[in-house]
Amino acid sequence: MTLNIGVLGYRFMGRAHSNALARLPMFFPDAPDVERHTLVGRDEEALADAAERFGFSHTATDWEDAIDDVDVFYNLGPNHIHPEPSIAALDAGVPVLCEKPLAPTLDEAAAMRDAAADADVPTATAFNYRFVPAVRYAKGLIEDGELGEIRQVRGRYLQDWLADPEAPWAWRLDADMAGSGALGDLGAHSIDLAEFLVGDAVGEIDRVSGHLQTFVDERPVYDEEGGVEEYRDVTVDDAYTAQVAYESGAIGNFEASRFAEGHKNDHTIAVHGSKGSLKFSLERFNELEVLREGDRGYQTVLVTDESDPYIDHWWPPGHVIGWEHTFVHENYEFLSAVAEGGEFEPSFEQGYEVQKLLDAVTRADERGEWVSVE
Amino acid sequence: MTLNIGVLGYRFMGRAHSNALARLPMFFPDAPDVERHTLVGRDEEALADAAERFGFSHTATDWEDAIDDVDVFYNLGPNHIHPEPSIAALDAGVPVLCEKPLAPTLDEAAAMRDAAADADVPTATAFNYRFVPAVRYAKGLIEDGELGEIRQVRGRYLQDWLADPEAPWAWRLDADMAGSGALGDLGAHSIDLAEFLVGDAVGEIDRVSGHLQTFVDERPVYDEEGGVEEYRDVTVDDAYTAQVAYESGAIGNFEASRFAEGHKNDHTIAVHGSKGSLKFSLERFNELEVLREGDRGYQTVLVTDESDPYIDHWWPPGHVIGWEHTFVHENYEFLSAVAEGGEFEPSFEQGYEVQKLLDAVTRADERGEWVSVE
Amino acid sequence: MTLNIGVLGYRFMGRAHSNALARLPMFFPDAPDVERHTLVGRDEEALADAAERFGFSHTATDWEDAIDDVDVFYNLGPNHIHPEPSIAALDAGVPVLCEKPLAPTLDEAAAMRDAAADADVPTATAFNYRFVPAVRYAKGLIEDGELGEIRQVRGRYLQDWLADPEAPWAWRLDADMAGSGALGDLGAHSIDLAEFLVGDAVGEIDRVSGHLQTFVDERPVYDEEGGVEEYRDVTVDDAYTAQVAYESGAIGNFEASRFAEGHKNDHTIAVHGSKGSLKFSLERFNELEVLREGDRGYQTVLVTDESDPYIDHWWPPGHVIGWEHTFVHENYEFLSAVAEGGEFEPSFEQGYEVQKLLDAVTRADERGEWVSVE
Amino acid sequence: MTLNIGVLGYRFMGRAHSNALARLPMFFPDAPDVERHTLVGRDEEALADAAERFGFSHTATDWEDAIDDVDVFYNLGPNHIHPEPSIAALDAGVPVLCEKPLAPTLDEAAAMRDAAADADVPTATAFNYRFVPAVRYAKGLIEDGELGEIRQVRGRYLQDWLADPEAPWAWRLDADMAGSGALGDLGAHSIDLAEFLVGDAVGEIDRVSGHLQTFVDERPVYDEEGGVEEYRDVTVDDAYTAQVAYESGAIGNFEASRFAEGHKNDHTIAVHGSKGSLKFSLERFNELEVLREGDRGYQTVLVTDESDPYIDHWWPPGHVIGWEHTFVHENYEFLSAVAEGGEFEPSFEQGYEVQKLLDAVTRADERGEWVSVE
């Protein structure tokens, strides 16, 4: 049996997932057979071009048509496009992988979660950083109790592409299309990763305090000659910070920025327990800093041994892999769940849980007080 | 003229300042002549022993006597001993250097600040990290506009000496004696350092959100054989986090912990501006990470060149100095101000400003909402 | 036109190149069309299995047959298999890519170089580390004079897979099959990379001193149950060091080891010039440490900007790539040269030059004296 | 009893040792009492000034006079001044500490060693890096077998103060006064440190290959206005490399340079054994990188715990110390040996052993071949 995949979106994420699908047979021979079946987009010319490049046999300008023809639907469009097609696919019984954050608003995310629950097929919210080998290895250490009782977690995601006030306007800067800014785009990753790593140990987040800030509130739209056509409002946050209190008494803090000069894609997460600590940074993708009981300092572990998560599918020790490999792992797990009728995490349910946090941080910022997450 | 110095406290801080005083003549020949005159303490035997070791010619068990005999008074006792002797010295017209934080409570700090204002002599709140060469160099870069408009600041002070639940009770864990825990002991340093580095650029802190947490709420008191005599309550925070909003629109976040396994004295501060960024970590005392306009990554600068702050007093490039040197620099600056009738910063005024922040963070935590600092 | 590719060898290198070929269409759309045509090996069953996995349409147990059927021949077998098939292919006018080092002996390498010269088709010695974006970026800096006059170069390649004396015997430990050990396997990479980076600046290597050492001189061969069948001699070096003198007066030192505990694939190269320095480490594949005139410390540059070599084919800034990507770049360049009748470097000529160095290091070790390279 | 110390030399090293002597009472209360008695130099005015600053009660322009008056003699002059006064002091039964390297030539070093043997009083060759806490801690690990059988050692000392061809001429660049350049000044430290750390494990060095290179062969002498008075020849090496073979079969390589842009005082030593590895860098003075059996990566150990060598004399964990502290430890050990009639290492004997190596490296370079050390 071959799974026909339909993909909405053919830019950055479309490319990352198409590549992942293409690489499965050579590296994950037990993955289900897949066909890159239908690529969905609005601009027919660009779409045809992308379909050829990405290896899709069909294109569609109407996502409703695509849903009828495929076994699995990938929703990789901008955030405001997430709800409707995803729900439609689920209503048609088609498993859906949707890029993160799940939706611009909590209500829409709830509707998506409900549709997933009704459909009873696997869903995925594409928090790909759960599929970094170093992160999986970290999770194993925490589950095995190597860090003892977890007391603190710290997540930080720094980029710098908006530090220049003349950087161009983009859909990611519009509240209607994106929901939020650094919070939803970057913070969602940190919050999900913290949940993945320490959620079982520290319980749910009880309450949060939030701070959203926009440093530059309008941005130029450039014409093709590089002239400024107009200035458009930035209606989302450029940076956010949050404090969180977990059920167990553990505490956390989170932060993201698109204004941190010198940081391109610096997503770090740190955990402190009663017996040890660990730190991960996305820019040093293959490394994990680990301190265990009896250690005098952090070990810089190169997580590329054959015994490390997913590594036996790739190369010998020390032959580092990169960002794109997380998509291969994610697709492998999701499509295996689809083929075998299994479970996949993070599902729409987990995506919704993250969305609750994003919403709570935003409410806390608006009210100037700690708010409970429910 | 020789300045006779009286010092209350002969433990850790007493030793650090005595050493600093002893080293001035060889390395700062233009510093005023000083005599380590009177060491003040309660335990006569231990006091006599310390006086000999630290080079003091006199001892006193009553600080009031000492104040009469000296030209300068150093208050290095536990926090709850800060107010009364400091105010008495100031009332007698004696310049005072007091360890940080200034006082257990904001009211006491205000009284100390007022006494300083009335006395019109130099005062010092001993935030020694202002006197790290790398920190001074950082301040110069920011003042010169190398980082552009400052948008974000991040201060974090991690230690691990309480991670073990069986670590002994100490006065630093008692609210009456210490005021607060990680917040006042460690956070005060971060807050002062942020003020020192970016205060001129971002204005005052408008409002803060705070989170104080105690992970282990009682601690053993051990007898001499190592048996547990009793358990005593921990009435201060083991860790805190804070979010801050500056007048200029810049944002900050701060954090300290005594439970961060693997971090001994890891005080880091990071600043992001529109043109550049910098990072400092106390455990890599001689280094500053700097990214300036046009740089593609942080430069790891070894701040030991002859042109770097205070370095011409010490050793050639690459011959690193350490934590204790900050006390020499601090003593040099403070005593020079005393001798010359000059100004010294951070004074009690600045110490009070930090105390306002500590107080605001505590209030914010209690109320569960952002509070204004004033 | 489609290039039919024949590949001898279906293990580690076979997989790395097959993957590279498979990825060209999506990421390098202007690369020539290729077909993974014939996979060559001796074990028919394993071969068939690999051919299916790697996407080859044909298999052959006799490389002579394969050469007749393909447009390009990849020789990825053990070193002692390099000469004969490569020369046969060249004699048949078929372009050849051969893994490194070119041959077990200098004479064989010379024969291969001569065959290449006679054939007048592109050849490649597969020194893939020339195709790391950070390395290419480094070369650009040196060519642009950013480091000034080059005075020192240092190459070091550390692995640890033989540190355990009970690690199993392998063909790489046999002089007849491998030529040499750490020297040929790892040192060849360092020597080629130094030549690539600074060869134009410092001229040829005049003379070398060498040191080869075998720490463990026999190794177990295990049977399928893990019992020791026999001990076989290790007839190559476990580690080597070399000193080199360049024409220009610059100096260098090189080293490799398979016994350096804690180093998996730690290939580093450092260059010092009159104006600046740089350092690269393979385990931090996406980073380059650069110090330029006026800098006070090394910049840690993440070489993932759109303007960096090959990066525009992949992902946005900060989305790191890995070891396998070097093969894609290498295949792209080589196959483009084949298709367009262009030049490719490093060719067999450059592979031979490296071999001369390996030979000189070995002779210097045997004689206990500096030897000229020829 | 008080030891009267006579010190020849009042520049960099004079200052470092005077400071060390001054700090003993406060931090090493069981050290012998010392008086900074006589400071020896030629320029009376500068000498008087230094004596006051450094706390010496007497001065002498003739070292022979000083030797008569003191209990211990410190020879801190340029290398060519080491032999005669040191031997005279020893002949008078006065213990001598001499800066490194012991002498410009092997013959002079032998004479000094012989005088020490005849005198039967403690002598010191001032290889201060043996007294870094992290280095002592490393030695303990190796002695305890934590690294297993030692197979490789690597020493590298990089500075950059000569990278600029217009940097001024200095006595260190003259063969008659200094003996050698980077080799004797920096390499001597590396060779001694390797001997200290692994000498017991790997035995003596059997044979060496050497390479000395001078990149800039004359340097300006500047007049007081900064004009160039004359150009003087550089008759020593700017950089050296060496390969060594130890008795045990272990191998080593060493290197130093005064031309390595971006490296101020970067003295690193690395050791690989069958069970583990370690690395130390002087620019990160308080850290040791350690990998032990079972570790997956190097631990970054902050060697500032109370249990670490010498640290209980200083500050609490995480309060870093610096370069100058090595002199305090060295003086403490040496003067304790003098007072108690004990042994001190490294003595003139060890200083001579290092000199043999320096001499062998030089001979090997001249002859273009490996030479035995004896």
Side-chain angles (χ1 to χ4, degrees), chain B residues 42-65:
Chain B
R42 283 178 305 185
D43 176 336
E44 289 197 31
E45 196 174 341
L47 183 63
D49 191 58
E52 192 194 338
R53 176 87 78 83
F54 297 166
F56 281 79
S57 43
H58 305 80
T59 62
T61 53
D62 183 341
W63 54 261
E64 292 182 293
D65 295 342

Side-chain angles (χ1 to χ4, degrees), chain B residues 215-259:
Chain B
F215 298 117
V216 172
D217 53 19
E218 61 175 21
R219 294 272 174 185
V221 176
Y222 293 100
D223 60 28
E224 291 188 2
E225 280 77 42
V228 174
E229 263 180 9
E230 60 165 327
Y231 279 85
R232 217 171 281 175
D233 286 348
V234 174
T235 51
V236 299
D237 54 296
D238 287 330
Y240 89 98
T241 62
Q243 302 166 280
V244 310
Y246 291 98
E247 277 180 349
S248 73
I251 68 173
N253 59 57
F254 295 92
E255 176 188 10
S257 175
R258 292 158 164 176
F259 273 72

Side-chain angles (χ1 to χ4, degrees), chain C residues 31-43:
Chain C
D33 289 334
V34 296
E35 189 189 335
R36 283 162 270 162
H37 189 277
T38 303
L39 190 64
V40 183
R42 284 179 303 186
D43 177 335

Side-chain angles (χ1 to χ4, degrees), chain D residues 238-250:
Chain D
D238 287 329
Y240 89 98
T241 65
Q243 302 167 280
V244 311
Y246 290 99
E247 276 181 351
S248 74

